[in-house]
PDB file of all heavy atoms in Angstrom:
ATOM      1  N   HIS I  93     101.460  96.143  90.947  1.00  0.00           N
ATOM      2  CA  HIS I  93     102.845  96.482  90.618  1.00  0.00           C
ATOM      3  C   HIS I  93     103.729  95.978  91.752  1.00  0.00           C
ATOM      4  O   HIS I  93     103.332  96.019  92.914  1.00  0.00           O
ATOM      5  CB  HIS I  93     103.004  97.996  90.461  1.00  0.00           C
ATOM      6  CG  HIS I  93     104.300  98.407  89.868  1.00  0.00           C
ATOM      7  ND1 HIS I  93     105.410  98.643  90.636  1.00  0.00           N
ATOM      8  CD2 HIS I  93     104.667  98.616  88.588  1.00  0.00           C
ATOM      9  CE1 HIS I  93     106.407  98.993  89.848  1.00  0.00           C
ATOM     10  NE2 HIS I  93     105.989  98.994  88.597  1.00  0.00           N
ATOM     11  N   ASP I  94     104.894  95.503  91.422  1.00  0.00           N
ATOM     12  CA  ASP I  94     105.817  95.016  92.443  1.00  0.00           C
ATOM     13  C   ASP I  94     106.651  96.161  92.991  1.00  0.00           C
ATOM     14  O   ASP I  94     107.153  96.995  92.238  1.00  0.00           O
ATOM     15  CB  ASP I  94     106.744  93.944  91.862  1.00  0.00           C
ATOM     16  CG  ASP I  94     105.996  92.677  91.485  1.00  0.00           C
ATOM     17  OD1 ASP I  94     104.982  92.367  92.139  1.00  0.00           O
ATOM     18  OD2 ASP I  94     106.435  91.991  90.545  1.00  0.00           O
ATOM     19  N   LEU I  95     106.786  96.178  94.305  1.00  0.00           N
ATOM     20  CA  LEU I  95     107.676  97.135  94.951  1.00  0.00           C
ATOM     21  C   LEU I  95     109.100  96.586  94.906  1.00  0.00           C
ATOM     22  O   LEU I  95     109.301  95.378  94.723  1.00  0.00           O
ATOM     23  CB  LEU I  95     107.248  97.346  96.412  1.00  0.00           C
ATOM     24  CG  LEU I  95     105.911  98.069  96.605  1.00  0.00           C
ATOM     25  CD1 LEU I  95     105.540  98.073  98.090  1.00  0.00           C
ATOM     26  CD2 LEU I  95     105.984  99.490  96.081  1.00  0.00           C
ATOM     27  N   PRO I  96     110.101  97.425  95.094  1.00  0.00           N
ATOM     28  CA  PRO I  96     111.480  96.932  95.115  1.00  0.00           C
ATOM     29  C   PRO I  96     111.673  95.888  96.215  1.00  0.00           C
ATOM     30  O   PRO I  96     110.997  95.927  97.249  1.00  0.00           O
ATOM     31  CB  PRO I  96     112.310  98.185  95.412  1.00  0.00           C
ATOM     32  CG  PRO I  96     111.437  99.329  95.051  1.00  0.00           C
ATOM     33  CD  PRO I  96     110.030  98.879  95.260  1.00  0.00           C
ATOM     34  N   GLU I  97     112.588  94.979  95.991  1.00  0.00           N
ATOM     35  CA  GLU I  97     112.859  93.921  96.966  1.00  0.00           C
ATOM     36  C   GLU I  97     113.299  94.483  98.321  1.00  0.00           C
ATOM     37  O   GLU I  97     113.129  93.830  99.343  1.00  0.00           O
ATOM     38  CB  GLU I  97     113.917  92.968  96.433  1.00  0.00           C
ATOM     39  CG  GLU I  97     113.383  92.061  95.346  1.00  0.00           C
ATOM     40  CD  GLU I  97     114.394  91.020  94.912  1.00  0.00           C
ATOM     41  OE1 GLU I  97     115.245  90.622  95.733  1.00  0.00           O
ATOM     42  OE2 GLU I  97     114.314  90.602  93.757  1.00  0.00           O
ATOM     43  N   THR I  98     113.860  95.677  98.330  1.00  0.00           N
ATOM     44  CA  THR I  98     114.316  96.282  99.581  1.00  0.00           C
ATOM     45  C   THR I  98     113.173  96.877 100.405  1.00  0.00           C
ATOM     46  O   THR I  98     113.392  97.308 101.537  1.00  0.00           O
ATOM     47  CB  THR I  98     115.355  97.381  99.292  1.00  0.00           C
ATOM     48  OG1 THR I  98     114.778  98.327  98.384  1.00  0.00           O
ATOM     49  CG2 THR I  98     116.627  96.800  98.711  1.00  0.00           C
ATOM     50  N   SER I  99     111.972  96.885  99.855  1.00  0.00           N
ATOM     51  CA  SER I  99     110.823  97.400 100.606  1.00  0.00           C
ATOM     52  C   SER I  99     110.571  96.505 101.813  1.00  0.00           C
ATOM     53  O   SER I  99     110.740  95.301 101.757  1.00  0.00           O
ATOM     54  CB  SER I  99     109.568  97.424  99.728  1.00  0.00           C
ATOM     55  OG  SER I  99     109.735  98.281  98.647  1.00  0.00           O
ATOM     56  N   ARG I 100     110.126  97.122 102.857  1.00  0.00           N
ATOM     57  CA  ARG I 100     109.809  96.363 104.075  1.00  0.00           C
ATOM     58  C   ARG I 100     108.361  95.890 104.088  1.00  0.00           C
ATOM     59  O   ARG I 100     107.900  95.346 105.083  1.00  0.00           O
ATOM     60  CB  ARG I 100     110.069  97.233 105.293  1.00  0.00           C
ATOM     61  CG  ARG I 100     111.504  97.626 105.422  1.00  0.00           C
ATOM     62  CD  ARG I 100     111.713  98.503 106.618  1.00  0.00           C
ATOM     63  NE  ARG I 100     113.135  98.785 106.761  1.00  0.00           N
ATOM     64  CZ  ARG I 100     113.610  99.895 107.243  1.00  0.00           C
ATOM     65  NH1 ARG I 100     112.784 100.853 107.623  1.00  0.00           N
ATOM     66  NH2 ARG I 100     114.906 100.069 107.358  1.00  0.00           N
ATOM     67  N   VAL I 101     107.658  96.151 102.992  1.00  0.00           N
ATOM     68  CA  VAL I 101     106.241  95.819 102.909  1.00  0.00           C
ATOM     69  C   VAL I 101     105.941  95.158 101.569  1.00  0.00           C
ATOM     70  O   VAL I 101     106.742  95.226 100.641  1.00  0.00           O
ATOM     71  CB  VAL I 101     105.364  97.082 103.070  1.00  0.00           C
ATOM     72  CG1 VAL I 101     105.508  97.682 104.459  1.00  0.00           C
ATOM     73  CG2 VAL I 101     105.687  98.116 102.009  1.00  0.00           C
ATOM     74  N   ASP I 102     104.772  94.539 101.490  1.00  0.00           N
ATOM     75  CA  ASP I 102     104.328  93.920 100.238  1.00  0.00           C
ATOM     76  C   ASP I 102     103.582  94.902  99.349  1.00  0.00           C
ATOM     77  O   ASP I 102     103.580  94.769  98.134  1.00  0.00           O
ATOM     78  CB  ASP I 102     103.409  92.724 100.531  1.00  0.00           C
ATOM     79  CG  ASP I 102     104.107  91.644 101.319  1.00  0.00           C
ATOM     80  OD1 ASP I 102     105.227  91.270 100.941  1.00  0.00           O
ATOM     81  OD2 ASP I 102     103.534  91.194 102.329  1.00  0.00           O
ATOM     82  N   GLY I 103     102.890  95.859  99.963  1.00  0.00           N
ATOM     83  CA  GLY I 103     102.057  96.775  99.187  1.00  0.00           C
ATOM     84  C   GLY I 103     101.870  98.104  99.889  1.00  0.00           C
ATOM     85  O   GLY I 103     102.451  98.358 100.950  1.00  0.00           O
ATOM     86  N   LEU I 104     101.027  98.943  99.276  1.00  0.00           N
ATOM     87  CA  LEU I 104     100.731 100.268  99.808  1.00  0.00           C
ATOM     88  C   LEU I 104      99.242 100.392 100.069  1.00  0.00           C
ATOM     89  O   LEU I 104      98.423 100.050  99.209  1.00  0.00           O
ATOM     90  CB  LEU I 104     101.158 101.354  98.815  1.00  0.00           C
ATOM     91  CG  LEU I 104     102.615 101.341  98.363  1.00  0.00           C
ATOM     92  CD1 LEU I 104     102.829 102.410  97.295  1.00  0.00           C
ATOM     93  CD2 LEU I 104     103.554 101.530  99.545  1.00  0.00           C
ATOM     94  N   LEU I 105      98.889 100.892 101.241  1.00  0.00           N
ATOM     95  CA  LEU I 105      97.494 101.146 101.570  1.00  0.00           C
ATOM     96  C   LEU I 105      97.213 102.598 101.221  1.00  0.00           C
ATOM     97  O   LEU I 105      97.492 103.509 101.995  1.00  0.00           O
ATOM     98  CB  LEU I 105      97.223 100.863 103.045  1.00  0.00           C
ATOM     99  CG  LEU I 105      95.768 100.885 103.456  1.00  0.00           C
ATOM    100  CD1 LEU I 105      94.991  99.763 102.767  1.00  0.00           C
ATOM    101  CD2 LEU I 105      95.636 100.777 104.960  1.00  0.00           C
TER     102      LEU I 105
END
Side-chain angles (χ1 to χ4, degrees):
H93 192 271
D94 293 329
L95 292 174
E97 286 186 29
T98 55
S99 298
R100 297 179 176 148
V101 295
D102 299 312
L104 304 175
L105 189 64

